[in-house]
Amino acid sequence: MDQRVEETEDRCPATGRVLRRGAVFDGESGMIGEARRFTADFLGGVRTDQGRTVPSRVIGTAQLVVSELVTNACKYAPGPCLLDLVFDGDTVEITVWDTDSTLPVACAAEPGRIGQHGLEIVISLCEGYDVRREPVGKRIKVRLASGDDSQT
């Protein structure tokens, strides 16, 4: 079952290259896997269609970050979730919007704690992390270095 409700993309007028792609998901648990595939498809397309180097490890990291953020949206925010991806050559920007205005807080380190490590994982993997309340819900934006190596 396809969880994607709507997909958009922005292209550079001069080159036709995709700069941004977004999707709205319906809030069901299947959206987590769909968001991971959407991320892999977008970054794989950047690698294939634009001839840009996006290492496999960066794609995997982006999928992990998306998975954590969308999982939290699915667990704590009823309703739709928006995923927006931007590739500018140097960074991959990931933005997730959900309907819950409660700002996430990373838990203090506890070796025996089971679960609730998602935000800690996201923050440790990203070069930038920003969360803001919106008129409805919140928007979390993170940045990953796009990397450039021969291990694609």
Side-chain angles (χ1 to χ4, degrees):
M1 181 175 170
D2 190 12
Q3 300 293 318
R4 197 174 306 146
V5 175
E6 180 182 340
E7 183 178 325
T8 61
E9 69 181 24
D10 293 335
R11 293 180 176 268
C12 174
T15 64
R17 293 179 175 168
V18 175
L19 305 174
R20 178 191 158 277
R21 186 166 290 154
V24 178
F25 300 95
D26 62 8
E28 299 297 320
S29 62
M31 74 181 185
I32 300 163
E34 185 65 23
R36 287 178 59 88
R37 284 186 292 279
F38 180 79
T39 301
D41 290 348
F42 173 68
L43 293 174
V46 165
R47 182 166 54 190
T48 304
D49 300 338
Q50 298 186 27
R52 302 297 300 261
T53 301
V54 182
S56 296
R57 67 177 167 71
V58 172
I59 295 172
T61 299
Q63 285 183 287
L64 175 58
V65 168
V66 164
S67 182
E68 292 296 338
L69 295 176
V70 172
T71 295
N72 286 345
C74 188
K75 285 174 67 172
Y76 302 113
C81 168
L82 169 74
L83 172 62
D84 194 45
L85 304 171
V86 176
F87 177 80
D88 72 3
D90 296 322
T91 60
V92 177
E93 187 177 88
I94 300 166
T95 304
V96 174
W97 170 87
D98 66 43
T99 61
D100 184 11
S101 63
T102 305
L103 301 181
V105 177
C107 297
E110 291 180 42
R113 184 178 70 223
I114 298 173
Q116 297 187 349
H117 296 280
L119 187 57
E120 295 165 342
I121 292 168
V122 168
I123 291 170
S124 71
L125 292 172
C126 296
E127 290 189 340
Y129 171 84
D130 180 59
V131 60
R132 295 176 189 222
R133 280 193 180 96
E134 296 287 330
V136 175
K138 69 180 165 298
R139 190 173 304 268
I140 299 173
K141 184 183 294 187
V142 299
R143 286 175 306 289
L144 300 172
S146 64
D148 191 355
D149 67 19
S150 59
Q151 311 252 320
T152 56

mmCIF file of all heavy atoms in Angstrom, residues 8-9 13 17 39 41 65 70 72 76 80-81 83 94 96 98 100-101 109-111 113 124 128 131 134 149-150 152:
data_model
loop_
_atom_site.group_PDB
_atom_site.id
_atom_site.type_symbol
_atom_site.label_atom_id
_atom_site.label_comp_id
_atom_site.label_asym_id
_atom_site.label_seq_id
_atom_site.Cartn_x
_atom_site.Cartn_y
_atom_site.Cartn_z
ATOM 1 N N THR A 8 6.082 16.487 -4.459
ATOM 2 C CA THR A 8 6.443 17.674 -5.222
ATOM 3 C C THR A 8 7.945 17.684 -5.439
ATOM 4 O O THR A 8 8.691 17.026 -4.719
ATOM 5 C CB THR A 8 6.062 18.969 -4.479
ATOM 6 O OG1 THR A 8 6.780 19.013 -3.234
ATOM 7 C CG2 THR A 8 4.578 19.053 -4.217
ATOM 8 N N GLU A 9 8.390 18.445 -6.436
ATOM 9 C CA GLU A 9 9.823 18.619 -6.626
ATOM 10 C C GLU A 9 10.098 19.958 -7.283
ATOM 11 O O GLU A 9 9.259 20.493 -8.001
ATOM 12 C CB GLU A 9 10.448 17.479 -7.427
ATOM 13 C CG GLU A 9 10.054 17.427 -8.876
ATOM 14 C CD GLU A 9 10.694 16.258 -9.624
ATOM 15 O OE1 GLU A 9 11.053 15.260 -9.005
ATOM 16 O OE2 GLU A 9 10.819 16.378 -10.839
ATOM 17 N N PRO A 13 15.998 25.799 -13.099
ATOM 18 C CA PRO A 13 15.543 26.167 -14.443
ATOM 19 C C PRO A 13 16.626 26.001 -15.514
ATOM 20 O O PRO A 13 16.333 25.600 -16.629
ATOM 21 C CB PRO A 13 15.148 27.641 -14.307
ATOM 22 C CG PRO A 13 14.936 27.861 -12.856
ATOM 23 C CD PRO A 13 15.823 26.880 -12.142
ATOM 24 N N ARG A 17 17.963 19.999 -13.134
ATOM 25 C CA ARG A 17 18.310 19.091 -12.035
ATOM 26 C C ARG A 17 17.365 19.286 -10.853
ATOM 27 O O ARG A 17 17.001 20.394 -10.508
ATOM 28 C CB ARG A 17 19.740 19.336 -11.577
ATOM 29 C CG ARG A 17 20.750 18.968 -12.620
ATOM 30 C CD ARG A 17 22.133 19.242 -12.137
ATOM 31 N NE ARG A 17 23.092 18.772 -13.128
ATOM 32 C CZ ARG A 17 24.359 19.065 -13.099
ATOM 33 N NH1 ARG A 17 24.857 19.830 -12.142
ATOM 34 N NH2 ARG A 17 25.163 18.595 -14.025
ATOM 35 N N THR A 39 13.521 8.672 0.410
ATOM 36 C CA THR A 39 14.838 9.283 0.626
ATOM 37 C C THR A 39 15.893 8.605 -0.236
ATOM 38 O O THR A 39 16.693 9.281 -0.897
ATOM 39 C CB THR A 39 15.217 9.191 2.120
ATOM 40 O OG1 THR A 39 14.212 9.874 2.884
ATOM 41 C CG2 THR A 39 16.583 9.794 2.396
ATOM 42 N N ASP A 41 15.446 6.907 -2.988
ATOM 43 C CA ASP A 41 15.164 7.203 -4.399
ATOM 44 C C ASP A 41 15.647 8.598 -4.771
ATOM 45 O O ASP A 41 16.236 8.801 -5.834
ATOM 46 C CB ASP A 41 13.670 7.083 -4.693
ATOM 47 C CG ASP A 41 13.163 5.659 -4.660
ATOM 48 O OD1 ASP A 41 13.984 4.717 -4.631
ATOM 49 O OD2 ASP A 41 11.921 5.482 -4.644
ATOM 50 N N VAL A 65 18.194 8.782 9.603
ATOM 51 C CA VAL A 65 17.678 10.024 10.180
ATOM 52 C C VAL A 65 16.192 10.190 9.849
ATOM 53 O O VAL A 65 15.373 10.487 10.721
ATOM 54 C CB VAL A 65 18.509 11.235 9.703
ATOM 55 C CG1 VAL A 65 17.824 12.552 10.045
ATOM 56 C CG2 VAL A 65 19.914 11.182 10.298
ATOM 57 N N VAL A 70 10.538 10.346 11.226
ATOM 58 C CA VAL A 70 9.194 9.969 10.798
ATOM 59 C C VAL A 70 8.566 8.991 11.796
ATOM 60 O O VAL A 70 7.356 9.048 12.044
ATOM 61 C CB VAL A 70 9.207 9.412 9.353
ATOM 62 C CG1 VAL A 70 7.855 8.826 8.963
ATOM 63 C CG2 VAL A 70 9.607 10.518 8.378
ATOM 64 N N ASN A 72 9.022 9.095 15.028
ATOM 65 C CA ASN A 72 8.519 9.950 16.102
ATOM 66 C C ASN A 72 7.232 10.652 15.695
ATOM 67 O O ASN A 72 6.302 10.771 16.495
ATOM 68 C CB ASN A 72 9.583 10.959 16.527
ATOM 69 C CG ASN A 72 10.683 10.313 17.336
ATOM 70 O OD1 ASN A 72 10.545 9.198 17.822
ATOM 71 N ND2 ASN A 72 11.790 11.012 17.476
ATOM 72 N N TYR A 76 3.867 10.074 17.883
ATOM 73 C CA TYR A 76 3.433 11.146 18.783
ATOM 74 C C TYR A 76 2.522 12.194 18.153
ATOM 75 O O TYR A 76 1.986 13.031 18.872
ATOM 76 C CB TYR A 76 4.654 11.840 19.390
ATOM 77 C CG TYR A 76 5.550 10.885 20.134
ATOM 78 C CD1 TYR A 76 6.826 10.594 19.670
ATOM 79 C CD2 TYR A 76 5.113 10.258 21.292
ATOM 80 C CE1 TYR A 76 7.646 9.707 20.346
ATOM 81 C CE2 TYR A 76 5.922 9.370 21.975
ATOM 82 C CZ TYR A 76 7.190 9.101 21.495
ATOM 83 O OH TYR A 76 7.996 8.216 22.168
ATOM 84 N N PRO A 80 -1.209 13.712 9.266
ATOM 85 C CA PRO A 80 -0.203 13.662 8.204
ATOM 86 C C PRO A 80 1.188 14.099 8.673
ATOM 87 O O PRO A 80 1.349 14.716 9.722
ATOM 88 C CB PRO A 80 -0.751 14.636 7.153
ATOM 89 C CG PRO A 80 -1.575 15.587 7.932
ATOM 90 C CD PRO A 80 -2.167 14.796 9.062
ATOM 91 N N CYS A 81 2.155 13.770 7.850
ATOM 92 C CA CYS A 81 3.559 14.104 8.091
ATOM 93 C C CYS A 81 4.140 14.546 6.752
ATOM 94 O O CYS A 81 3.892 13.914 5.729
ATOM 95 C CB CYS A 81 4.277 12.869 8.610
ATOM 96 S SG CYS A 81 6.057 12.969 8.664
ATOM 97 N N LEU A 83 7.599 15.347 4.565
ATOM 98 C CA LEU A 83 9.039 15.123 4.445
ATOM 99 C C LEU A 83 9.532 15.953 3.270
ATOM 100 O O LEU A 83 8.986 15.859 2.172
ATOM 101 C CB LEU A 83 9.337 13.644 4.211
ATOM 102 C CG LEU A 83 10.780 13.279 3.867
ATOM 103 C CD1 LEU A 83 11.735 13.645 5.007
ATOM 104 C CD2 LEU A 83 10.875 11.789 3.535
ATOM 105 N N ILE A 94 17.173 17.685 5.491
ATOM 106 C CA ILE A 94 15.990 16.867 5.734
ATOM 107 C C ILE A 94 15.084 17.648 6.668
ATOM 108 O O ILE A 94 15.518 18.079 7.741
ATOM 109 C CB ILE A 94 16.376 15.526 6.396
ATOM 110 C CG1 ILE A 94 17.321 14.730 5.502
ATOM 111 C CG2 ILE A 94 15.127 14.725 6.758
ATOM 112 C CD1 ILE A 94 18.016 13.575 6.203
ATOM 113 N N VAL A 96 11.204 17.472 8.490
ATOM 114 C CA VAL A 96 9.998 16.702 8.793
ATOM 115 C C VAL A 96 9.058 17.605 9.578
ATOM 116 O O VAL A 96 9.455 18.193 10.587
ATOM 117 C CB VAL A 96 10.314 15.427 9.591
ATOM 118 C CG1 VAL A 96 9.036 14.720 10.022
ATOM 119 C CG2 VAL A 96 11.187 14.484 8.772
ATOM 120 N N ASP A 98 5.265 17.688 11.510
ATOM 121 C CA ASP A 98 4.157 16.879 11.994
ATOM 122 C C ASP A 98 3.184 17.766 12.754
ATOM 123 O O ASP A 98 3.432 18.958 12.936
ATOM 124 C CB ASP A 98 4.641 15.684 12.829
ATOM 125 C CG ASP A 98 5.307 16.082 14.138
ATOM 126 O OD1 ASP A 98 4.796 16.987 14.842
ATOM 127 O OD2 ASP A 98 6.340 15.480 14.475
ATOM 128 N N ASP A 100 2.126 17.640 15.965
ATOM 129 C CA ASP A 100 2.293 17.817 17.411
ATOM 130 C C ASP A 100 3.232 18.985 17.685
ATOM 131 O O ASP A 100 4.374 18.989 17.228
ATOM 132 C CB ASP A 100 2.859 16.540 18.027
ATOM 133 C CG ASP A 100 2.978 16.615 19.531
ATOM 134 O OD1 ASP A 100 2.431 17.561 20.146
ATOM 135 O OD2 ASP A 100 3.627 15.731 20.111
ATOM 136 N N SER A 101 2.779 19.965 18.454
ATOM 137 C CA SER A 101 3.604 21.142 18.727
ATOM 138 C C SER A 101 4.593 20.937 19.869
ATOM 139 O O SER A 101 5.413 21.810 20.145
ATOM 140 C CB SER A 101 2.713 22.349 19.026
ATOM 141 O OG SER A 101 1.953 22.107 20.192
ATOM 142 N N ALA A 109 21.807 10.456 28.997
ATOM 143 C CA ALA A 109 22.370 9.126 28.749
ATOM 144 C C ALA A 109 22.090 8.197 29.929
ATOM 145 O O ALA A 109 22.347 8.549 31.072
ATOM 146 C CB ALA A 109 23.862 9.233 28.512
ATOM 147 N N GLU A 110 21.538 7.045 29.626
ATOM 148 C CA GLU A 110 21.282 5.999 30.609
ATOM 149 C C GLU A 110 21.604 4.668 29.945
ATOM 150 O O GLU A 110 20.876 4.224 29.066
ATOM 151 C CB GLU A 110 19.811 5.994 31.040
ATOM 152 C CG GLU A 110 19.376 7.176 31.853
ATOM 153 C CD GLU A 110 17.902 7.061 32.231
ATOM 154 O OE1 GLU A 110 17.461 5.949 32.600
ATOM 155 O OE2 GLU A 110 17.207 8.070 32.132
ATOM 156 N N PRO A 111 22.707 4.020 30.344
ATOM 157 C CA PRO A 111 23.119 2.778 29.679
ATOM 158 C C PRO A 111 22.045 1.690 29.679
ATOM 159 O O PRO A 111 21.946 0.926 28.736
ATOM 160 C CB PRO A 111 24.340 2.331 30.479
ATOM 161 C CG PRO A 111 24.835 3.563 31.150
ATOM 162 C CD PRO A 111 23.633 4.434 31.383
ATOM 163 N N ARG A 113 18.734 2.128 29.575
ATOM 164 C CA ARG A 113 17.463 2.526 28.955
ATOM 165 C C ARG A 113 17.255 1.756 27.651
ATOM 166 O O ARG A 113 18.141 1.655 26.823
ATOM 167 C CB ARG A 113 17.459 4.031 28.689
ATOM 168 C CG ARG A 113 16.117 4.496 28.125
ATOM 169 C CD ARG A 113 16.060 5.990 27.897
ATOM 170 N NE ARG A 113 16.928 6.349 26.789
ATOM 171 C CZ ARG A 113 17.733 7.394 26.773
ATOM 172 N NH1 ARG A 113 17.817 8.182 27.808
ATOM 173 N NH2 ARG A 113 18.478 7.649 25.724
ATOM 174 N N SER A 124 23.513 13.221 16.824
ATOM 175 C CA SER A 124 24.914 12.795 16.687
ATOM 176 C C SER A 124 25.338 12.628 15.223
ATOM 177 O O SER A 124 26.511 12.777 14.895
ATOM 178 C CB SER A 124 25.165 11.493 17.456
ATOM 179 O OG SER A 124 24.544 10.403 16.811
ATOM 180 N N GLY A 128 23.778 19.881 11.601
ATOM 181 C CA GLY A 128 22.904 20.926 12.095
ATOM 182 C C GLY A 128 21.558 20.344 12.458
ATOM 183 O O GLY A 128 21.087 19.401 11.822
ATOM 184 N N VAL A 131 14.706 22.822 15.489
ATOM 185 C CA VAL A 131 13.294 22.463 15.649
ATOM 186 C C VAL A 131 12.530 23.735 15.994
ATOM 187 O O VAL A 131 13.000 24.546 16.786
ATOM 188 C CB VAL A 131 13.102 21.354 16.716
ATOM 189 C CG1 VAL A 131 13.603 21.788 18.069
ATOM 190 C CG2 VAL A 131 11.646 20.926 16.806
ATOM 191 N N GLU A 134 5.380 25.503 14.719
ATOM 192 C CA GLU A 134 4.688 26.132 13.598
ATOM 193 C C GLU A 134 3.280 26.490 14.067
ATOM 194 O O GLU A 134 2.864 26.043 15.139
ATOM 195 C CB GLU A 134 4.617 25.149 12.421
ATOM 196 C CG GLU A 134 5.974 24.763 11.854
ATOM 197 C CD GLU A 134 6.604 25.891 11.051
ATOM 198 O OE1 GLU A 134 5.854 26.693 10.464
ATOM 199 O OE2 GLU A 134 7.839 25.972 11.023
ATOM 200 N N ASP A 149 33.184 10.734 -1.822
ATOM 201 C CA ASP A 149 34.264 9.750 -1.832
ATOM 202 C C ASP A 149 34.015 8.731 -2.926
ATOM 203 O O ASP A 149 32.993 8.734 -3.570
ATOM 204 C CB ASP A 149 34.429 9.085 -0.463
ATOM 205 C CG ASP A 149 33.238 8.217 -0.068
ATOM 206 O OD1 ASP A 149 32.441 7.818 -0.932
ATOM 207 O OD2 ASP A 149 33.103 7.931 1.122
ATOM 208 N N SER A 150 34.924 7.878 -3.116
ATOM 209 C CA SER A 150 34.808 6.901 -4.206
ATOM 210 C C SER A 150 34.102 5.626 -3.769
ATOM 211 O O SER A 150 33.969 4.700 -4.531
ATOM 212 C CB SER A 150 36.206 6.562 -4.731
ATOM 213 O OG SER A 150 36.975 6.028 -3.677
ATOM 214 N N THR A 152 30.960 4.699 -3.374
ATOM 215 C CA THR A 152 29.519 4.883 -3.579
ATOM 216 C C THR A 152 28.795 3.597 -3.734
ATOM 217 O O THR A 152 28.961 2.701 -4.316
ATOM 218 C CB THR A 152 29.245 5.794 -4.771
ATOM 219 O OG1 THR A 152 29.886 5.262 -5.928
ATOM 220 C CG2 THR A 152 29.706 7.201 -4.478
#
